[in-house]
Amino acid sequence: MGILYLVPTPVGNLEDITYRALRILKEADLILAEDTRTTGVLLKHFEIKNAMLSYHKFNEHQTVAGVVERLQAGETVAVVSDAGTPGISDPGFLVAREAVKCGIDVVCLPGATAFVPALVSSGLPCDRFCFEGFLPVKKGRATRLAALASETRTLVFYESPHRLVKTLTQFSEVFGPDRQVSVCREISKIHEESVRGTLEEVLIHFTEIPPRGEIVIVMSGAPEKESGKRRITDE
């Protein structure tokens, strides 16, 4: 049996990759890449020449069986996403699940994940938190937000820049404008920025200054005794 490695790659600064990650990428028989062009830039920077296979949300169901066969034949396979840890709002879960079912060793290397630095630097409690990733864009979004209205743990979301203002507006409607929030963008990049304050204050900021780059929203949980829930309607 081979080994399936889930290899985190930098979310910004290329120096954030680990020595171990570089070694695995060099030694693997195959690299599964979310986008071979993006991973190609990373490999070229570190002078790694290795075989890659495209593995993303549109083809992972068709690809996974062949990958498992190669692992069963003794090959070592490394999975990478465009940035961060595979499986965290990126492809990786399916192949890991199937490998585990077949008794294949699955090893995830520690490394870059966007929400961790955003959470820890937010100034909000990070001893207990709820990671939601990307919310549903339309169907099920209102239901999910309503279910989170009474969540007392710190809440963590991923969002795209063009939807940020709309999302913060909905958060203000559902959770109340006074909830504390930290919006972190461009983590580990030159223009990294964290905007902190109430939902109302941060919404005003990004309404006046349109956001760019990848975004993590970290929001305080509901007060322990809060009981009422505000609701919005699914589109």
Side-chain angles (χ1 to χ4, degrees):
M1 290 282 191
I3 300 175
L4 178 70
Y5 286 98
L6 304 176
V7 182
T9 53
V11 297
N13 194 317
L14 292 180
E15 293 179 359
D16 291 339
I17 200 164
T18 67
Y19 289 118
R20 186 183 177 199
L22 292 175
R23 177 177 62 81
I24 295 299
L25 292 176
K26 289 178 182 178
E27 296 176 355
D29 296 298
L30 176 68
I31 298 173
L32 293 186
E34 183 179 5
D35 187 326
T36 55
R37 294 166 298 181
T38 301
T39 301
V41 173
L42 177 72
L43 298 184
K44 183 177 180 180
H45 179 82
F46 289 106
E47 299 180 345
I48 297 173
K49 297 179 180 180
N50 208 337
M52 287 190 290
L53 178 67
S54 179
Y55 178 78
H56 46 74
K57 64 180 180 179
F58 300 109
N59 76 348
E60 58 181 340
H61 286 276
Q62 294 84 2
T63 305
V64 68
V67 173
V68 169
E69 287 180 2
R70 296 181 68 158
L71 288 163
Q72 289 174 322
E75 293 190 21
T76 296
V77 177
V79 183
V80 298
S81 63
D82 289 346
T85 300
I88 303 296
S89 296
D90 281 321
F93 160 70
L94 184 60
V95 67
R97 182 187 67 183
E98 296 306 307
V100 168
K101 284 182 180 180
C102 294
I104 298 165
D105 285 341
V106 176
V107 178
C108 182
L109 276 59
T113 302
F115 79 82
V116 173
L119 171 64
V120 175
S121 67
S122 68
L124 298 172
C126 54
D127 54 335
R128 296 173 65 247
F129 63 91
C130 178
F131 175 72
E132 287 292 315
F134 288 100
L135 288 165
V137 176
K138 291 186 178 180
K139 185 177 180 181
R141 186 180 180 92
T143 302
R144 190 73 202 125
L145 288 176
L148 292 170
S150 58
E151 173 59 64
T152 58
R153 293 172 293 178
T154 300
L155 295 159
V156 183
F157 306 88
Y158 285 162
E159 191 52 280
S160 63
H162 71 275
R163 285 200 299 263
L164 178 63
V165 169
K166 181 178 180 179
T167 294
L168 291 176
T169 300
Q170 290 179 326
F171 282 7
S172 183
E173 293 171 358
V174 176
F175 306 120
D178 296 328
R179 282 279 190 102
Q180 290 293 313
V181 67
S182 174
V183 174
C184 189
R185 66 180 193 88
E186 295 290 80
I187 293 172
S188 192
K189 297 179 182 178
I190 295 175
H191 300 293
E192 179 175 347
E193 175 188 39
S194 290
V195 179
R196 305 178 180 91
T198 64
L199 277 169
E200 183 177 30
E201 292 168 342
V202 174
L203 177 57
I204 291 172
H205 172 86
F206 284 111
T207 299
E208 296 175 349
I209 304 174
R212 295 181 179 180
E214 299 298 320
I215 289 169
V216 183
I217 303 172
V218 183
M219 184 175 64
S220 61
E224 292 288 345
K225 296 182 179 180
E226 184 173 299
S227 58
K229 294 184 181 180
R230 302 174 178 86
R231 293 182 180 274
I232 62 174
T233 304
D234 276 326
E235 295 182 354

